[in-house]
Amino acid sequence: MLKRQNPSSPGLSRDPAADGGAPSMSHNDSRSLLNLSQLVLSAGQIKPSPALKHSKITYFEVEIVDVQSKKQICIVDKVPPASTVLDVKHKFQKACPQWYPSRVGLQLEHNGPFLKDSVSIQSLAVSSIITLYFTDLGQQVGWTTFFLTEYTGPLLIYLLFYIRLSTIYDQVESRKNFRHPVVHLACFCHCLHYIRHLLETLFVHKFSEGHTPLKNMIKGCAFYWGFTSWIAYYINHPRYTPPSFGHKQVSYAALAFLMCEAGNHFINVVLAHQTNSEGNKTCFPSPTYNPFTWLFLLVSCPNYTYEAGSWISFTVMTQTLPVGIFAFLMVIQMSLWAQKKHKLYLKKFYPEVRRKAAMIPIIF
């Protein structure tokens, strides 16, 4: 007869759960745990989640240094990486209230260009400390205010001379002498030119960010207002003599003037629509079905071409020396602007611009 074994003997396994103990691990579970441990060790350390990885935020310190004295003005601390130059200008104004953002010019290098307000601070950083050079740009005005002031003056000044105020001309001589039709036509063309400029400033042009110094507006107003006074005085003078070739010279010149004005307007409309939602030009302006825009096939700045054509036509129509001098100076100035813009177009849109002139075909 076989002897009954004692339950407490080591030969028989016992269920610890029955006694309230912890359950034991089987052989297969032990092997699974061992394999999982080896897999973790071979894979390396588990990477933290992205939220933990980027939980630490880096701030920059921007040192503002005077460009002339090289002395430190202040330190703008705790500048987030996503900040722009405009954000730094606002923080700088809190430390120095007299320097409002549009008056502050910041440069990365001592003789470098002024940084645009939209430039990211992170793109300028080499280390956690960024040094920017400060320049006082002087009293500033917006571009819309600049052009409205510059163009409103000539419009009103010319009309004052046209009505022949008693403080300007002799009233007896004004009543005695007959006004030639070209005087009235010249007033219409001159007013049309500046009314177009004013309306385009308000409804067509898209001005870039920033402002311009007040002294530039004063110089521009002195130039336009002064020449308008000189031009209007001679054309509306009681002793003004009409052009040498009479009606034909006036008619052809007036027709050329109106065509140039129309062309200038249509070119400005095309330029205004060649931008994306961020205000940047996506491609070089191309001609449309409108014949006035076909000048884009020959020159890169046809708006300056039409503007020069307007003043040359006005000179032929009125045949006066002040208008001729003004037209000559305008052609020189606009040719310089056109060449500068043409160089920018060559860098940005080389294939489309390389065979074009800047303002006048072949010459410039």
Side-chain angles (χ1 to χ4, degrees):
M1 179 180 285
L2 294 175
K3 185 177 179 180
R4 187 176 181 182
Q5 291 182 341
N6 190 355
S8 61
S9 64
L12 185 66
S13 62
R14 184 179 175 183
D15 186 7
D19 298 333
S24 62
M25 185 177 295
S26 64
H27 180 66
N28 292 334
D29 292 340
S30 300
R31 291 186 60 185
S32 300
L33 180 62
L34 180 61
N35 293 336
L36 179 62
S37 301
Q38 291 176 350
L39 179 63
V40 171
L41 291 175
S42 61
Q45 186 178 2
I46 299 177
K47 295 182 180 180
S49 62
L52 295 176
K53 182 178 180 181
H54 297 286
S55 61
K56 186 178 180 180
I57 302 176
T58 304
Y59 291 97
F60 294 104
E61 289 186 356
V62 180
E63 180 187 21
I64 309 295
V65 178
D66 186 81
V67 71
Q68 295 180 349
S69 64
K70 307 291 180 63
K71 294 182 179 179
Q72 183 189 97
I73 300 176
C74 71
I75 293 180
V76 180
D77 58 353
K78 293 186 177 180
V79 178
S83 299
T84 61
V85 172
L86 182 60
D87 296 330
V88 173
K89 289 182 179 181
H90 284 295
K91 290 179 177 290
F92 177 54
Q93 185 186 14
K94 293 181 180 179
C96 304
Q98 70 273 24
W99 308 120
Y100 52 90
S102 62
R103 187 167 182 165
V104 176
L106 296 178
Q107 302 161 274
L108 189 60
E109 299 176 356
H110 182 265
N111 294 323
F114 291 111
L115 298 172
K116 293 183 178 181
D117 290 344
S118 59
V119 173
S120 172
I121 289 298
Q122 193 171 15
S123 64
L124 306 175
V126 179
S127 63
S128 60
I129 300 177
I130 305 172
T131 301
L132 298 179
Y133 294 93
F134 161 77
T135 301
D136 179 16
L137 300 178
Q139 188 75 22
Q140 302 288 300
V141 293
W143 283 110
T144 302
T145 304
F146 176 89
F147 288 114
L148 291 178
T149 306
E150 193 175 66
Y151 296 144
T152 303
L155 178 63
L156 299 178
I157 290 172
Y158 196 97
L159 291 175
L160 291 176
F161 283 91
Y162 176 74
I163 62 178
R164 291 183 175 178
L165 294 176
S166 58
T167 55
I168 301 176
Y169 302 112
D170 181 73
Q171 290 300 302
V172 176
E173 193 174 20
S174 298
R175 294 193 208 97
K176 184 175 59 176
N177 292 347
F178 171 75
R179 287 199 189 194
H180 193 275
V182 71
V183 176
H184 304 292
L185 182 61
C187 180
F188 170 78
C189 292
H190 191 276
C191 292
L192 176 66
H193 177 79
Y194 284 103
I195 289 174
R196 178 184 63 80
H197 273 304
L198 291 172
L199 293 177
E200 288 178 351
T201 300
L202 293 173
F203 304 110
V204 177
H205 292 305
K206 297 179 181 179
F207 298 107
S208 59
E209 63 178 19
H211 300 72
T212 185
L214 178 63
K215 61 181 180 180
N216 288 349
M217 188 179 76
I218 295 175
K219 289 190 294 184
C221 290
F223 177 78
Y224 280 97
W225 295 16
F227 262 104
T228 299
S229 302
W230 191 23
I231 290 170
Y233 177 81
Y234 272 86
I235 295 177
N236 296 286
H237 198 281
R239 297 182 183 179
Y240 168 75
T241 55
S244 304
F245 296 96
H247 180 71
K248 286 187 177 180
Q249 178 178 343
V250 174
S251 300
Y252 291 141
L255 180 61
F257 177 87
L258 295 176
M259 291 180 64
C260 288
E261 287 295 303
N264 203 339
H265 171 70
F266 290 123
I267 292 297
N268 288 332
V269 171
V270 171
L271 292 174
H273 286 82
Q274 289 289 331
T275 55
N276 55 18
S277 58
E278 297 178 354
N280 299 320
K281 281 186 172 57
T282 56
C283 60
F284 180 76
S286 56
T288 64
Y289 63 89
N290 190 334
F292 287 102
T293 64
W294 294 351
L295 199 56
F296 271 120
L297 299 173
L298 301 176
V299 296
S300 59
C301 303
N303 53 324
Y304 295 140
T305 308
Y306 282 123
E307 184 78 9
S310 294
W311 286 112
I312 294 173
S313 302
F314 194 77
T315 303
V316 176
M317 181 178 66
T318 58
Q319 195 175 310
T320 54
L321 179 63
V323 182
I325 295 175
F326 181 75
F328 175 74
L329 295 177
M330 289 294 290
V331 169
I332 293 177
Q333 180 62 72
M334 284 183 289
S335 65
L336 296 176
W337 288 340
Q339 290 181 43
K340 183 178 180 180
K341 189 173 290 186
H342 185 72
K343 290 180 180 178
L344 295 177
Y345 282 151
L346 284 174
K347 292 180 181 179
K348 197 171 183 180
F349 312 111
Y350 175 74
E352 298 94 334
V353 186
R354 63 188 181 93
R355 294 186 179 275
K356 303 180 190 294
M359 188 180 85
I360 301 177
I362 301 175
I363 299 177
F364 295 105

